[in-house]
Amino acid sequence: NLSSWVTWPLVIVGGTGMRLSLGVKVKYLNSEDYRFRYFTQGKPGSRPSVLMLHGFSLNKNMWLNTIEIFPKDVHLVCVDLPGHGGTTRLLAESHTAVAQAKRIHQFVQCAGLNHKPFHLVGMSMGGMVAGVYAALYPAHVSSLALLCPAGKYLHQVSEEQIEKFMKICLYQPKWNETSPILLPFIGKGFLDLTSSESRYSLHDNMRKIKAPTQIIWGKEDKVFDSSGAEILAAAIPNSQVHWLEKCGHFITLERPRTSAKLLLEFYKSVCDSAEQKKVA
């Protein structure tokens, strides 16, 4: 049953308590047939806003450990992708990477993020969508960070194989399988994402990415081959690669501090470079 609930043996860090401690605000935005759920921290300012896209079957809360080290005055927006978390799930809709990128564009316009270029971050499926978005809407993206993004090395799977996907995501699985949590999940979404139409989307569009790009990958990633980092770096002119030792696919869970520090350093470097250009 494609609309069934699937039990993932995975602990999602953070939640209401952590959001409160960080001072982030949960909001809703209605656009056409979609109601987007997201949270924000800080307010738009002179520096680019930061839009963060989570991985498959996860939600915006996966970024809580990451944004903990970001300055409170940086405007952060973490959104539940369509089909995930508190954002609308429509079985009849396509969930390919291009379709998701277009829906994120819909969100960006309604949230007013398109008023000036923003910094776009995405992990896994979110990285794939972020890369495609940067290629389709280059004027909106000042810089880009991709954490082990899905790509052409993403193989189409059957519904029976989907649960196995999560069990190989971590270098050292630490979840408690006796206390699983339920995550709303549409099997069709994964099948759409891994279809031949979708899984080549980032590869086919990577040469169109013009924004300065940071690529972070766990060396022990068993989901997507880490050689993808070199393929992306070769195709994207202004890019840099960071490898994380003894780290699997879920970078923000296994290396929350290290990955957060890398993301923040890159963001600051791009902001500083933009300021220097203005002065010059």
Side-chain angles (χ1 to χ4, degrees):
N1 183 350
L2 293 179
S3 62
S4 64
W5 287 68
V6 173
T7 301
W8 290 122
L10 177 67
V11 175
I12 301 298
V13 294
T16 304
M18 192 168 186
R19 287 200 303 265
L20 289 173
S21 68
L22 291 175
V24 302
K25 299 177 181 178
V26 176
K27 298 182 178 181
Y28 290 89
L29 186 154
N30 295 310
S31 174
E32 297 179 17
D33 294 334
Y34 280 88
R35 189 187 198 204
F36 293 92
R37 190 181 193 209
Y38 63 105
F39 66 65
T40 65
Q41 176 181 285
K43 296 180 180 179
S46 58
R47 290 176 294 181
S49 297
V50 180
L51 175 60
M52 311 183 87
L53 308 181
H54 60 78
F56 176 76
S57 84
L58 302 177
N59 59 51
K60 61 189 175 304
N61 286 350
M62 67 156 276
W63 294 114
L64 289 172
N65 282 347
T66 301
I67 68 172
E68 191 175 9
I69 76 163
F70 273 70
K72 294 295 186 288
D73 61 343
V74 174
H75 182 224
L76 297 167
V77 179
C78 302
V79 62
D80 285 336
L81 285 161
H84 296 73
T87 294
T88 302
R89 297 187 291 279
L90 297 176
L91 277 173
E93 294 290 322
S94 169
H95 292 80
T96 63
V98 171
Q100 292 287 58
K102 289 180 177 178
R103 290 194 195 101
I104 291 302
H105 179 56
Q106 187 178 325
F107 171 79
V108 163
Q109 290 180 305
C110 290
L113 287 170
N114 59 324
H115 292 160
K116 69 176 187 178
F118 55 85
H119 178 56
L120 183 57
V121 182
M123 193 194 89
S124 191
M125 173 195 71
M128 186 183 194
V129 174
V132 171
Y133 186 99
L136 295 179
Y137 308 102
H140 288 177
V141 181
S142 61
S143 48
L144 177 68
L146 304 175
L147 286 69
C148 53
K152 69 174 186 175
Y153 23 79
L154 178 64
H155 301 294
Q156 190 166 16
V157 300
S158 65
E159 284 189 78
E160 291 73 23
Q161 292 173 302
I162 292 175
E163 283 200 57
K164 295 178 182 177
F165 170 80
M166 300 301 287
K167 294 187 178 182
I168 62 171
C169 285
L170 297 171
Y171 170 62
Q172 292 181 319
K174 298 175 183 178
W175 58 69
N176 179 358
E177 295 196 43
T178 63
S179 302
I181 62 173
L182 294 177
L183 289 175
F185 170 78
I186 301 173
K188 179 180 178 295
F190 195 79
L191 298 179
D192 283 354
L193 186 71
T194 60
S195 67
S196 57
E197 175 191 356
S198 180
R199 67 175 180 263
Y200 295 101
S201 297
L202 179 55
H203 184 264
D204 291 343
N205 285 282
M206 59 187 179
R207 287 177 175 79
K208 299 177 185 176
I209 297 174
K210 305 303 179 186
T213 301
Q214 176 185 48
I215 302 160
I216 305 175
W217 219 297
K219 281 199 170 182
E220 307 298 330
D221 192 335
K222 295 183 177 67
V223 180
F224 306 136
D225 196 312
S226 58
S227 63
E230 296 167 349
I231 294 172
L232 288 169
I236 303 172
N238 188 2
S239 59
Q240 56 183 260
V241 177
H242 302 276
W243 301 100
L244 300 183
E245 299 286 346
K246 295 183 178 180
C247 181
H249 184 63
F250 280 134
I251 290 174
T252 60
L253 296 181
E254 293 197 279
R255 294 288 184 275
R257 288 284 174 181
T258 302
S259 58
K261 184 179 178 183
L262 288 171
L263 288 170
L264 182 57
E265 287 175 350
F266 178 69
Y267 173 76
K268 286 181 175 179
S269 71
V270 171
C271 291
D272 291 344
S273 177
E275 287 298 321
Q276 288 173 5
K277 287 180 181 179
K278 286 180 182 180
V279 173

